[in-house]
Amino acid sequence: MKRRSLLLGGLAVTAPLLTPTPAEAADTRRSTATPEGPLTNLDHLDFLRQDVTPPDQQGHTTYRLADTPDVGVLWTYAEPGPDGAFRRVGGGAYDPDTDTWGQGAYNADDISRAAVVYLRHWRQTGAATSRNAAYQLLRGLTYLQTADGPYAGNVVLWMQPDGTLNPSAEPKELPDPSDSDASYWLARTIWALGEGYAAFRDTDPDFAGFLRDRLDLAIAAVQRQVLVRHGQWQIIDGDRTPAWLIVDGADATAEAVLGLAAYVEAGGGATARRALRQLAEGIAALADGGVREWPFGSVRPWALSRSVWHGWGAQMPAALARAAQALDDRTLLGPAVTDSAVFTPWLLTSGGPDNGRLPTRTDRTQIAYGVDSRVQSLLAVADATGRSGFAQLAALTAAWYFGANPARTPGYDPHTGRAIDGINGDGQVNRNSGAESTIHTLLSMLALDARPGLAALAHHTEIVERVGTVTLEAEDGSPQGGATVVTPPSAWTGESLISGSYVDLPAGAGLRWQLPPADQPRLVLPVVDLRPGVPARTVWHSDAGPLGEVDHARVGAQGNSPAPGALLPVTLPRELAAHATELTAQAAAGNRATVDAVMLEPLVSRLTLAGDGHRTTLLRSAARASQTAQVTAGGTGPATVEVYDAAGALHSRHTSTATQLRVTVLPGGFTLVRR
């Protein structure tokens, strides 16, 4: 499971993308109307569950295995057959002679997260069936955990259909063997064990004690493999980043923090508190950018790149919010608030929770894991701060499940409990319904069921308007004076993703773009390859005047970055006038300059969603001063206008019966208009 191959949450989805016929799409729209009663339907997740009796395997046992030799596991994928019925599928190539998969049938990543679903459903509804399912899955998960020896506390990722462990999967994943070091699946095991202990502590103290022992074993593994570096920093293209994150990821570490926070709140001791604080500090250290600069106030997911943000696993704000509450430390909330109030409105207005902003929208696939990560983060920050605007942003994000997505089709069917496996950037829908997508969709549905008002707000099925980032590819500009389009053999640099091709500009060469029309000023962010010690400079103009320069050597030493240089958006000092029609770049004297793309950011971006007779508009500001914008408030009845500042604090609220509204958007803040 390689860290930056941009697999979907760590597991490669191998099933094909399927595009529905118009009739199928119509059937889906009819079947996914909001049901009477809860949105959460566990039927499909139940279908993926399996009991298996593993053979004796050194170092692996679980709670009362002698008394109950079968343990709970979960199939990895599910795909529809010609008759529409789903079949369960493992990972990698299947060998029918041995009934084995190249990877396995079941994996710790999904077993752990499914356990969280059942735990939360049990605690939210009191359902004994969910309690029992969580109990069995936690037994299966702890069987996958290595209980002794040099790898004690780590977790084997894959299991075959007969219960045999497969620590070295094909294709190879890192670490190999999968229990030889810290990993995503160790982090997710901590998540499940922490929430499991909190849930069973009072109802089954004996089982809770077993979970506590296994959680302490996992924490010990994190201490010796990760936290032994606490306080050590590494240099990434001149930026100082923490060296004590699980697999160098704030994303993986965040999921461990969710479990540690639950454990600490349920009485976990000093060792757990210390690990929680240290890991949360590492996550917070990856907060970066601002209202006008990449990555726009987000908490970056990967410590080894300044260029990467991805939707899947991006629960960093949720982790910081939960840690702040568990440790009673409000200082951890700052980065989570900025990510929620500044970055997420930019993300929503610029296209949604893509798999990869690397740094441009080079992987526009959207999956439930990415959507849910934003939903959970916004709700956690709303709970920690008491600021309702974050909860409303969570509802707008969750509208993805009901049709407000690039495919304009529901991503979840509450009548069957099935979720789609994703939507490609071109709108193609993956109609498979694997474990990861099902799990994270259900986590979102549980959150909405707990907040009926937000569930109603989330039920928007149509994207009416989106005005956000426009990306001009360098290769689409008109080359001048020796500018050359270069298509690299691989777009992946080791730390970022080139958006197709780039343009090489020797001294004196240039590029010229015809600009799409705009009714407001825009920020200009050339996406360029910065190289330390290699003097190169580009000068940028529009037909309305000069915009500024980019120093292509303005980046620090490579350090531990996987690749030399950094592909980064650089905000020009002057804004592009609304009436400008042409943009030019010219390389000044010096070395060759590399330009990948140009991002144009409106000072006020917007997203309008509609459905069930309601309409909601989100406005996001990148301006230094307050702006006014006109909004068409469709529907009937009074419209509610709420104005929030750059920290998500409510500044003003009023209602209006007018159809055309002039509303204020504060500097760096966001405004919501609902009718």
Side-chain angles (χ1 to χ4, degrees), residues 557-647:
Q558 178 180 348
N560 287 347
S561 170
L567 188 69
L568 288 171
V570 178
T571 306
L572 295 179
R574 287 181 283 279
E575 296 164 2
L576 183 67
H579 60 271
T581 61
E582 189 174 87
L583 175 69
T584 62
Q586 185 171 32
N591 288 278
R592 309 175 82 90
T594 296
V595 178
D596 179 45
V598 181
M599 296 165 58
L600 303 179
E601 298 289 340
L603 288 191
V604 177
S605 54
R606 71 174 64 203
L607 171 68
T608 299
L609 305 180
D612 280 359
H614 299 283
R615 184 180 178 112
T616 303
T617 295
L618 163 67
L619 302 166
R620 182 259 180 188
S621 171
R624 292 192 173 98
S626 294
Q627 303 288 302
T628 59
Q630 184 163 308
V631 175
T632 300
T636 59
T640 300
V641 179
E642 295 179 343
V643 179
Y644 296 89
D645 66 16

Side-chain angles (χ1 to χ4, degrees), residues 19 58 88 109 132 148 183 243 250 280 295 300 327 350 437 489 499 501 520 527 572 604 622 629 666:
T19 304
Q58 179 63 38
R88 304 178 296 185
D109 273 335
N132 295 337
D148 54 35
S183 61
R300 290 188 280 113
L327 298 170
S350 66
S437 298
S499 56
S501 301
Q520 59 175 310
V527 181
L572 295 179
V604 177
L666 297 178

Side-chain angles (χ1 to χ4, degrees), residues 478-494:
S478 300
Q480 299 174 333
T484 305
V485 175
V486 179
T487 302
S490 172
W492 177 243
T493 70

Side-chain angles (χ1 to χ4, degrees), residues 157-181:
L157 177 57
W158 288 102
M159 178 186 279
Q160 298 289 5
D162 66 353
T164 302
L165 299 177
N166 185 20
S168 294
E170 289 294 338
K172 292 293 183 186
E173 298 164 319
L174 297 179
D176 181 32
S178 56
D179 65 341
S180 62
D181 204 346

